Each structure stands twice: as C-alpha cells, then as structure tokens.
Amino acid sequence: MIDNLLKEIGTPQTIGITGHIRPDGDCVGSVLGMYAYLSNVYKDAKIKVFLEQPPMIYSYLKGYDLIDTTFAYPGQFDVFIALDSGDIERIDAAGKLFLGSKKSICIDHHVSNTGYGDVSHVAPDASSTCEILTHMFEDEYMDVEVAKALYTGIAHDTGVFRYSCVTPETFAALEKLIKYDFDGSKITDETFYQKTYVQNQLLGRTLLESILFMDGKCIAGYVDRKAMEFYEATPQDFEGIVNQLQMTKGVEVAIFMYETGTLEFKVSMRSNGKVNVADVASYFGGGGHVRAAGCNMNGTFHDVLNNLSLHIERQLEAL
Ligand code: AMP
Ligand code: MN
Ligand code: MN
C-alpha cells in the first residue's frame, strides 16, 4: 500500500499514466486527474497519458486532447502508473510500457485485483479510484482541473452518489473537491444522465425485449450485432442499460450483454447485494466488484445466460 504517493513516485523525468480498456468515468477521471495533478507537481517532467479513445463527453477535462491512443512509445518510463484496472490484461497495450518501466505503480479499487506492478495500492472499500486519489493528493498541488476530474470519477462509479459503495470517506473526498469553482451538476447532467437519441432507443428496445426468470430474481437483456449495425451503436452506447434493468422490483441480479463478435458477448452484471457477481464474472475470466462485474463469454445469448444462471442460482440457494 502507498503511504505517500509523491515519495513513492520520487523525482522522475518521464511518467506514463494509463487506465483500463473501454474507459468509463472513473477511469478517465482518475487518469486525467492524475495527469493534471502530476503536471502541477513535476513541472519539468515529461508526462504522457495512454488510453483507448474515451467518449467525447469527457473532453472538458484537462489533458483529454493529449491522450495517446496509439500506445507507441520507443523509450522506457521512469515511472508508469495504472489506474482503475483490476488486472494487467485490462490495461491492454499499455501493459508493455508498464512492465518495461523502471517503477510500475497500480492504484485501484476492484475486489478482484490481486495486485500487480512494483507497488500496488488496492482499496476495495473505496467507491472509486478517484476517491482513493482525492485522499492521496496533497492540497498544495490541487487545482480546479484536478478537482473536476476526480469529481467526475466519483460521480460515475457511485451512480451520482447513490450506490452502496458510498461511505463517509466518499463524502469526505467530495468535501475536498467541491471547494473548487466548477459546476458539478453540469458535469453529472452532461456525462451521466444525458443520453443520445440512439442510446435511449437501445435502452427502450432492451427493456421491451428483456426476460425475467428465476422467479423474478433475474432479469436479462441483450443487443445483437444486427441491432448494433442498424443503430450504428458503439459499446459506449450501452452505458447505463444494465443499471436500468437492475431497477426492476424483486430483481437480485441484472444481466446485460452485447455481441462483440460472432457468438461472442461482453457481459455486464449488477447485483443488489445478495449475489456476489464478481465471483460469477471471475469464474468466466472477468472480474469487478461484488455488486458490479463483467466478463466476456462465447455462445448464443441463451448459452451464455444458462452458464451464468447456474452460478447465480447456486449462490441464491446457498443463502
Ligand atoms: P461493466 O459491467 O463493464 O460496467 O463493468 C463493471 C465492473 O466490472 C467494472 O468495475 C469493470 O472494471 C469490471 N469488469 C467488466 N468487464 C470485465 C472483464 N472482462 N474483466 C475484468 N473486469 C471486468
Ligand atoms: Mn472503471
Ligand atoms: Mn472504478
């Protein structure tokens, strides 16, 4: 675990920062928050951010335009930091740069994270990686750009301060951040609540065609390739659908999946707490948190659903 982040980082000349594939709000917030913060600390260092292209909704964050999506870098970094990624596979192409650096640091909050890199700081009780960073960062080097990024990440991973992962530590972090002059509700409106017309159509369609099973304890919905092509949908367009499915009375587990290739699905699961979906996802090679997890699976929608149901049912029966 890290006691003093700046001591741990030392006095590097080059710093690389990355997060997980298909970056979400906490990933983008923690990566760009770290970028803005370290830019204030290490004025002469070369700091580079490597990340899969994040959605345009995050373009108000400092450093967004400087993100390197090619992952091509010929040299070795003095320090390389991976954020919000439960395992090294999920930083994808940045893994090589991370492992090849003089010092690799991982900061994360996934319960499935067993630690990787030279130094690893995993706090599964933290709502978000941005919450961890807010407590780690020193006031002296904070500014409004850092605060906006960290606020974005906390808002996204807590469903705008609603989920059970919210603790007094979360609000203590928010207290530190909202002292800075920025419009928090504009951030949550424009990056969390607002949907494009296509996103709302996909949500409506998925809800209409969803199936309720296991005595109403499970709900599942999916979008296949044909529908994705028809709506010209990208994976970002599915953000939030699984959470809406979960808000069905009586449901313990909500499952959403979309087809990533022929008979290949990206699965998202949400639980109300009785079922540990991180365990289910881990069994199929994925990971996440007790109440929010994901994995990639092969087969038809019904094959995948049958496989998942077996594990969910087993957990429900054991209660
Ligand atoms: P999602 O359902 O994609 O919003 O993801 C929910 C949580 O599970 C996030 O914290 C992800 O980091 C994690 N997660 C999703 N998919 C995977 C995967 N294939 N492998 C490991 N963790 C995942
Ligand atoms: Mn994330
Ligand atoms: Mn996170």
Side-chain angles (χ1 to χ4, degrees):
M1 296 298 262
I2 297 171
D3 269 340
N4 184 317
L5 177 68
L6 296 183
K7 245 194 211 156
E8 205 60 74
I9 292 177
T11 50
Q13 281 171 342
T14 53
I15 307 172
I17 307 169
T18 197
H20 61 75
I21 50 168
R22 285 189 295 269
D24 55 16
D26 188 33
C27 175
V28 180
S30 57
V31 166
L32 294 181
M34 182 64 88
Y35 169 78
Y37 178 73
L38 295 182
S39 303
N40 292 342
V41 182
Y42 302 104
K43 297 223 184 292
D44 299 321
K46 178 174 178 180
I47 308 175
K48 275 196 68 87
V49 174
F50 300 92
L51 205 58
E52 192 180 304
Q53 184 63 49
M56 272 297 289
I57 48 169
Y58 300 114
S59 61
Y60 62 95
L61 294 175
K62 179 181 169 180
Y64 180 87
D65 296 330
L66 303 173
I67 294 172
D68 185 320
T69 56
T70 69
F71 297 87
Y73 188 77
Q76 180 189 36
F77 282 97
D78 292 334
V79 173
F80 205 93
I81 306 170
L83 297 163
D84 197 41
S85 182
D87 56 67
I88 192 155
E89 284 75 39
R90 281 181 51 85
I91 59 171
D92 209 28
K96 247 171 55 193
L97 298 171
F98 181 83
L99 291 173
S101 67
K102 291 186 188 145
K103 185 168 194 173
S104 53
I105 301 175
C106 150
I107 303 173
D108 181 40
H109 70 124
H110 290 90
V111 65
S112 51
N113 191 335
T114 50
Y116 57 92
D118 297 322
V119 181
S120 120
H121 183 100
V122 182
D125 292 336
S127 68
S128 50
T129 302
C130 283
E131 177 185 319
I132 303 174
L133 296 189
T134 308
H135 291 299
M136 268 186 188
F137 288 179
E138 295 174 22
D139 283 348
E140 191 185 342
Y141 302 110
M142 288 286 293
D143 65 18
V144 67
E145 298 300 334
V146 181
K148 265 170 22 184
L150 299 180
Y151 183 90
T152 301
I154 297 176
H156 276 256
D157 263 16
T158 58
V160 190
F161 325 123
R162 278 188 308 121
Y163 300 158
S164 66
C165 59
V166 170
T167 68
E169 295 297 309
T170 315
F171 283 105
L174 290 170
E175 187 188 1
K176 274 176 92 169
L177 299 177
I178 60 173
K179 280 190 272 203
Y180 294 91
D181 186 23
F182 65 92
D183 190 341
S185 28
K186 185 170 155 66
I187 289 179
T188 50
D189 278 353
E190 292 180 3
T191 70
F192 189 87
Y193 292 112
Q194 209 175 79
K195 301 286 174 197
T196 62
Y197 181 54
V198 161
Q199 285 170 333
N200 275 332
Q201 281 182 303
L202 286 163
L203 169 68
R205 197 188 145 119
T206 308
L207 295 179
L208 263 176
E209 293 177 356
S210 66
I211 53 173
L212 196 62
F213 57 108
M214 247 183 251
D215 286 337
K217 291 198 173 62
C218 254
I219 190 165
Y222 78 113
V223 177
D224 63 15
R225 279 227 83 77
K226 229 171 72 194
M228 281 180 76
E229 276 159 24
F230 179 80
Y231 291 99
E232 293 179 16
T234 65
Q236 292 153 9
D237 291 325
F238 306 126
E239 194 85 29
I241 294 184
V242 70
N243 303 79
Q244 194 59 50
L245 284 168
Q246 189 197 6
M247 277 191 259
T248 308
K249 201 171 163 71
V251 157
E252 291 298 338
V253 177
I255 301 168
F256 172 74
M257 54 184 112
Y258 65 87
E259 221 175 346
T260 48
T262 312
L263 298 181
E264 273 176 28
F265 286 93
K266 160 73 178 80
V267 177
S268 284
M269 287 179 283
R270 297 293 183 270
S271 157
N272 286 355
K274 283 192 185 152
V275 173
N276 180 339
V277 287
D279 275 356
V280 180
S282 295
Y283 183 85
F284 294 104
H289 313 279
V290 173
R291 290 172 182 246
C295 54
N296 295 295
M297 290 174 71
N298 297 318
T300 64
F301 169 67
H302 287 99
D303 291 337
V304 171
L305 206 55
N306 280 337
N307 285 326
L308 292 169
S309 304
L310 222 68
H311 288 260
I312 293 165
E313 204 159 23
R314 220 172 275 161
Q315 281 199 39
L316 282 171
E317 277 167 1
L319 289 173

